[in-house]
Amino acid sequence: MYNPTKDDIYAYALSKTLTKVSSPATVGLYSSCQNRLNMILGQMEVYMKQEASRIEQEYKGRFRPRSARPSICGFLALIGRMLFYRPIWTEDNQQHHNVRFIYVHFSAWHFAGSDLLWAGLAIRLFQAMQMSFGKLQIVLYRVAQHDEEMEVQNKRVEEGLNHWRSKKVCCCPLWFLLLSILMVPLVILVFTLTFGLPNPEMKPGGAVNGTNTSHVGVFEGLFIASIGLPAAGALRFVFQMVKNLIFSQDLNIRKGMDNERVSSQLGFMNDVRKEMWLLSQFIQFMEVFERRRIRVVLKITNLDRCSPKKIVAVLDAINILLSDEESPYISILSVDPDVLVQKVNFADGCFSKQDRAYALLNGIVTLAFTIPPLGDDSKRSLFDSLTSNSKSPDDLSMSKYKQGTGALKKKSSSDVFSVEFAIETQESYPLMDKTTAALDVKDEEVEKLVRSILNSNERNLNKYMLEDATSMRRVINSIRVTVIVMKALQKELPRPEYIAAWVVLANQWPCRLSWILQCVEDAQQRADIELDNVPKADDSKTLWKVFQKSRAELYVMSAQIEDLLEQDGDPEMFERFLTVDFKFTVKDLKTFEGSTVNLDHSIRKELAHIRGTSRLKDSGWMRNLAPLPITTIINMDTEDVCKELERLDYQSKYNDIVRRNNLNGSALLFGDTDDLKELLQMTFGEWTRFRLHFLGVPSRLRQPYKNMAPPASHPQANRFHFHMPNQYSSNPNLVNGSM
């Protein structure tokens, strides 16, 4: 039987979740590898189409949805509804069971040359809607249905089974009035052809009877009037149709972008917003007509390759143009979070905490999905695929991709790493029916579990939730996708309240949780390196004990991770969370680790870089010369310092000084360097070696890094804290913050 890869599982879980989330929604799809993002996006599209098709096939309701494929009968029915009827918003047609997805790909890099990148996003949406529904249908809706005054009116939801109301003129249905107007000249024409026009009577002497002449004039005038009124209305309607067909929305926006005087005006974005609202109203009309929900999935890629100013503009556009309460848009922001955060933090106008990257993303994203890093098996499959195949990497990934998806076409394969995601275990993209069969997670089970999780420990969790609807939606959506991932991975599910609590923990304290994860990983790596000297990790150890043991180290580096710590909530509530309400252990951490998709891995990567994880795996010269890890120094007592000095072949007199003055690890770390040097009375060579090993890199090596701070004119200069790329700083004055 085919075993799906983890990327298959992640794409499958996201696709099932997006069929349930309410719009508008913004999904943050995060990974450092663009090829992996592109392939998961491609898989998601296939899975979402399959899921929508499955939902429609299993539907047993009274009214079947109309076919989305264009047909003559369907086109004529749509024209009739647009011309003579208006939709009635009912509870039934506002909560359709069936769903249809329209996929729009927006590569920000293609529009990066424009100063108004967000306007390019709107143009791409207009073009996609015209391709999906037809340009004529959108123009017909604009002329026959659109009313700008409806934007300021509240949308009334009525009861009943009738979904359409005929347009009326003077209490008369428009279709009946138009039919009557058309019937009058038709009746006159039939009468004329049958009986002919009355001939005027001739008086004796050649005079014409004036009475008969006037009758003929009235008859002709009535005939002309009956034809002229509908003809004038028809000409006006045709004129508006032709005008809107020629001057479409995307053309008007392009003209506005090209005209600097127009694009610099405040009203230009408002005009674009009105056009986006028109698209939303049109899609809602089509939802009632097709009897299904319609969701526009906007896939935004390559945004992290653009300049900081344009990145912020696109994020603002998502927040302003695509986040209306009735918008049918689901935006998928596919980026490398590390690059995006760094660029946004250095954008012009980024002064307050709310303007910084993490706060900006948290205010927009309603479902954060970070693709976990590749495991050892996946890396081995990548290496084997690169060494055992004679095809070029691009040809190999293309053939595997086409073999797997069939209907999908891969647009690009830019580097050799795309091969891995095409062959992760055996064949990463097999036929989708095999994948779907292997990933058969029942909706009923998921819904039952989600309800059980949300209701299991509601009181305990409520006090840890933010007073923010976006944050709450992010938690609910993350719980759903976590359940699907764990079910697809065939993991034993923990207690329901623990699943919700873990999602809340990752959402409310991402920096502290990332730190705990890194500490557990480092301890395991150290145990693997020093099998005899380091005890194995205790799975029963609580996460609070792990954090408590290493919190001093986190305190020391707090100045370097100020932006990361700003994401975390109340420290006291964090302690209460792990010590009173939810006593998570290392075993629980390992259970959730592969399915924790709402935690940004770039945070952990930054913490690992500062902590010097790579040095823990080194050997040889490091043990004698390289700086000790800060976690080692902080936990050293006086005897540990003496043993380290003996290992470095220092004279025994220094051990006596250490014992006499109680020089433990904390004293070495936070004490004054000059006082310590005077106390030990070492030779210059001994002191240099001691300082390098216990206190870090000498000051003369730190000096080049000071020049890397931004210039004073840069908007970030006042809040930029730069320290040497070491585990710690020997100057305690640089340490601030509270854990």
Side-chain angles (χ1 to χ4, degrees):
M1 182 179 177
Y2 168 71
N3 294 322
T5 66
K6 287 188 177 181
D7 282 357
D8 291 327
I9 292 173
Y10 300 142
Y12 177 77
L14 263 178
S15 64
K16 287 189 72 71
T17 302
L18 292 183
T19 59
K20 301 295 182 181
V21 299
S22 58
S23 63
T26 302
V27 180
L29 184 60
Y30 303 140
S31 177
S32 58
C33 182
Q34 187 62 46
N35 289 86
R36 198 176 183 193
L37 289 172
N38 291 338
M39 290 194 174
I40 287 182
L41 285 174
Q43 285 180 297
M44 283 177 57
E45 184 172 339
V46 175
Y47 290 141
M48 291 172 73
K49 287 181 178 179
Q50 287 187 340
E51 186 69 14
S53 178
R54 183 192 62 79
I55 292 174
E56 192 164 315
Q57 290 175 1
E58 296 177 356
Y59 180 64
K60 304 297 183 183
R62 179 180 177 185
F63 299 104
R64 300 289 298 176
R66 298 178 187 267
S67 175
R69 296 180 179 179
S71 63
I72 296 177
C73 294
F75 179 69
L76 294 177
L78 178 60
I79 290 178
R81 294 296 184 184
M82 285 187 177
L83 291 178
F84 304 115
Y85 292 87
R86 290 194 182 277
I88 301 175
W89 311 118
T90 66
E91 293 182 0
D92 185 35
N93 61 32
Q94 294 298 291
Q95 298 177 356
H96 285 301
H97 180 74
N98 299 290
V99 64
R100 171 189 171 196
F101 294 103
I102 299 173
Y103 306 93
V104 182
H105 182 213
F106 174 73
S107 178
W109 184 248
H110 295 166
F111 293 85
S114 172
D115 293 333
L116 301 176
L117 187 60
W118 57 268
L121 187 149
I123 291 174
R124 188 69 189 91
L125 273 174
F126 293 140
Q127 293 174 342
M129 293 303 101
Q130 290 174 3
M131 293 176 60
S132 180
F133 293 104
K135 189 174 183 178
L136 180 62
Q137 287 88 325
I138 297 178
V139 171
L140 184 61
Y141 176 84
R142 176 189 289 273
V143 176
Q145 290 278 333
H146 182 53
D147 185 3
E148 292 186 358
E149 295 181 358
M150 293 174 60
E151 185 175 2
V152 297
Q153 297 177 359
N154 293 328
K155 187 176 180 180
R156 290 196 323 172
V157 178
E158 303 178 7
E159 296 182 359
L161 298 177
N162 188 16
H163 297 168
W164 299 97
R165 179 185 292 118
S166 62
K167 298 179 182 178
K168 293 184 178 180
V169 178
C170 298
C171 300
C172 180
L174 179 60
W175 64 268
F176 181 78
L177 182 63
L178 182 61
L179 183 62
S180 301
I181 294 176
L182 292 177
M183 287 298 293
V184 170
L186 183 61
V187 170
I188 295 175
L189 181 62
V190 172
F191 180 83
T192 303
L193 294 177
T194 304
F195 300 100
L197 291 173
N199 295 322
E201 297 182 3
M202 299 292 294
K203 292 184 177 181
V208 179
N209 190 331
T211 303
N212 291 335
T213 304
S214 62
H215 286 219
V216 173
V218 172
F219 192 78
E220 291 177 347
L222 180 62
F223 181 77
I224 294 173
S226 62
I227 296 177
L229 288 176
L235 285 176
R236 179 177 177 275
F237 182 83
V238 171
F239 173 76
Q240 290 181 340
M241 288 285 296
V242 172
K243 184 186 73 171
N244 284 282
L245 282 172
I246 296 175
F247 301 101
S248 58
Q249 299 104 318
D250 56 328
L251 182 61
N252 292 333
I253 294 178
R254 289 179 188 274
K255 287 185 177 180
M257 292 172 63
D258 295 337
N259 190 335
E260 293 184 1
R261 294 181 59 187
V262 175
S263 60
S264 61
Q265 292 177 358
L266 179 63
F268 181 60
M269 175 173 273
N270 185 51
D271 292 339
V272 176
R273 185 194 60 78
K274 289 182 178 180
E275 295 296 331
M276 298 296 296
W277 182 79
L278 167 67
L279 278 185
S280 299
Q281 294 298 110
F282 171 74
I283 292 174
Q284 291 179 27
F285 179 93
M286 294 301 298
E287 285 182 336
V288 179
F289 179 76
E290 294 187 6
R291 306 189 190 106
R292 61 162 64 89
R293 289 175 291 145
I294 298 177
R295 296 293 177 261
V296 180
V297 181
L298 178 61
K299 300 183 290 186
I300 303 175
T301 60
N302 297 319
L303 183 61
D304 44 10
R305 299 174 63 185
C306 301
S307 62
K309 181 180 179 181
K310 295 176 181 178
I311 292 175
V312 175
V314 171
L315 294 178
D316 288 339
I318 294 175
N319 202 20
I320 296 173
L321 301 178
L322 305 179
S323 298
D324 185 76
E325 291 183 1
E326 299 178 358
S327 295
Y329 305 112
I330 298 177
S331 306
I332 302 179
L333 193 61
S334 173
V335 293
D336 181 349
D338 192 21
V339 176
L340 188 72
V341 166
Q342 292 183 35
K343 288 191 174 183
V344 171
N345 282 341
F346 287 94
D348 294 338
C350 180
F351 300 106
S352 66
K353 177 180 176 181
Q354 286 74 19
D355 293 330
R356 298 179 192 174
Y358 288 116
L360 186 61
L361 289 175
N362 288 336
I364 297 174
V365 174
T366 54
L367 172 58
F369 192 102
T370 301
I371 303 173
L374 293 173
D376 294 337
D377 293 339
S378 300
K379 294 178 182 178
R380 183 172 61 252
S381 299
L382 167 61
F383 185 81
D384 292 341
S385 65
L386 291 175
T387 56
S388 62
N389 290 277
S390 58
K391 289 185 178 181
S392 66
D394 287 349
D395 293 340
L396 179 63
S397 61
M398 180 69 75
S399 63
K400 293 294 181 182
Y401 193 84
K402 289 181 177 179
Q403 179 184 356
T405 60
L408 289 176
K409 294 181 179 179
K410 183 169 173 60
K411 297 181 179 179
S412 64
S413 53
S414 56
D415 58 44
V416 296
F417 292 102
S418 61
V419 180
E420 189 278 333
F421 316 114
I423 311 175
E424 193 174 282
T425 50
Q426 294 177 350
E427 291 184 3
S428 176
Y429 290 98
L431 295 176
M432 287 297 173
D433 54 353
K434 294 182 180 179
T435 306
T436 308
L439 297 173
D440 188 14
V441 179
K442 302 297 183 182
D443 285 345
E444 296 79 7
E445 296 180 8
V446 173
E447 293 300 322
K448 184 178 179 180
L449 278 170
V450 171
R451 285 195 299 268
S452 174
I453 290 169
L454 293 176
N455 297 330
S456 59
N457 211 345
E458 185 177 353
R459 292 186 179 180
N460 280 345
L461 283 178
N462 283 344
K463 57 176 171 283
Y464 300 108
M465 301 288 288
L466 294 178
E467 298 177 358
D468 178 19
T470 302
S471 176
M472 293 181 181
R473 288 184 63 188
R474 188 161 55 243
V475 169
I476 295 172
N477 294 333
S478 298
I479 289 174
R480 183 183 300 276
V481 75
T482 300
V483 168
I484 297 175
V485 169
M486 296 187 75
K487 292 282 290 183
L489 289 172
Q490 298 180 354
K491 285 189 174 183
E492 182 181 355
L493 295 179
R495 288 182 294 173
E497 62 269 20
Y498 268 47
I499 297 178
W502 185 263
V503 171
V504 171
L505 178 62
N507 188 67
Q508 299 297 99
W509 296 280
C511 183
R512 285 170 170 79
L513 180 57
S514 299
W515 174 255
I516 293 174
L517 290 170
Q518 189 60 41
C519 291
V520 172
E521 180 186 278
D522 289 347
Q524 183 61 47
Q525 290 174 344
R526 178 55 57 191
D528 294 339
I529 295 172
E530 301 180 8
L531 297 176
D532 299 330
N533 300 328
V534 179
K536 294 184 178 180
D538 183 9
D539 288 351
S540 63
K541 190 176 184 180
T542 64
L543 297 189
W544 175 250
K545 288 184 178 179
V546 175
F547 179 78
Q548 195 174 30
K549 184 178 180 181
S550 59
R551 66 189 306 177
E553 183 181 357
L554 188 62
Y555 170 79
V556 171
M557 65 173 65
S558 60
Q560 296 172 269
I561 56 173
E562 180 182 355
D563 287 347
L564 304 182
L565 286 172
E566 282 180 353
Q567 299 182 71
D568 287 358
D570 193 326
E572 285 72 24
M573 294 299 290
F574 175 73
E575 181 176 355
R576 176 185 174 86
F577 189 94
L578 291 180
T579 58
V580 178
D581 291 328
F582 305 100
K583 299 179 181 180
F584 285 109
T585 64
V586 174
K587 182 180 179 180
D588 297 323
L589 182 147
K590 294 179 179 179
T591 301
F592 286 107
E593 191 171 11
S595 55
T596 307
V597 294
N598 65 320
L599 182 65
D600 185 0
H601 294 292
S602 65
I603 300 175
R604 182 176 171 184
K605 181 180 178 181
E606 179 68 17
L607 294 173
H609 174 72
I610 297 175
R611 200 179 195 219
T613 306
S614 60
R615 292 178 178 175
L616 300 181
K617 297 182 179 180
D618 292 338
S619 59
W621 74 274
M622 166 192 149
R623 299 190 178 183
N624 295 325
L625 293 177
L628 288 172
I630 188 173
T631 181
T632 303
I633 298 177
I634 288 179
N635 295 317
M636 293 177 74
D637 56 18
T638 303
E639 291 303 319
D640 293 331
V641 175
C642 292
K643 290 179 182 179
E644 189 68 16
L645 290 175
E646 290 176 0
R647 191 178 66 82
L648 296 176
D649 296 329
Y650 277 89
Q651 299 179 32
S652 60
K653 65 178 182 178
Y654 298 124
N655 289 347
D656 298 335
I657 297 175
V658 169
R659 292 189 180 96
R660 188 167 55 250
N661 293 277
N662 194 23
L663 296 179
N664 55 21
S666 298
L668 295 177
L669 184 63
F670 297 106
D672 184 78
T673 306
D674 294 334
D675 293 343
L676 183 62
K677 180 179 180 181
E678 183 178 353
L679 182 65
L680 293 175
Q681 294 294 317
M682 291 183 174
T683 64
F684 181 79
E686 290 175 333
W687 168 249
T688 301
R689 189 181 177 194
F690 178 89
R691 179 172 180 170
L692 178 64
H693 192 65
F694 285 96
L695 306 182
V697 181
S699 58
R700 66 182 180 85
L701 295 180
R702 296 184 203 142
Q703 189 65 32
Y705 294 104
K706 296 180 181 179
N707 299 327
M708 296 177 64
S713 60
H714 195 279
Q716 302 297 315
N718 294 332
R719 72 174 189 86
F720 187 88
H721 300 276
F722 188 87
H723 300 273
M724 64 175 186
N726 191 29
Q727 302 99 316
Y728 54 89
S729 171
S730 60
N731 187 354
N733 295 326
L734 295 178
V735 179
N736 57 71
S738 175
M739 294 296 105

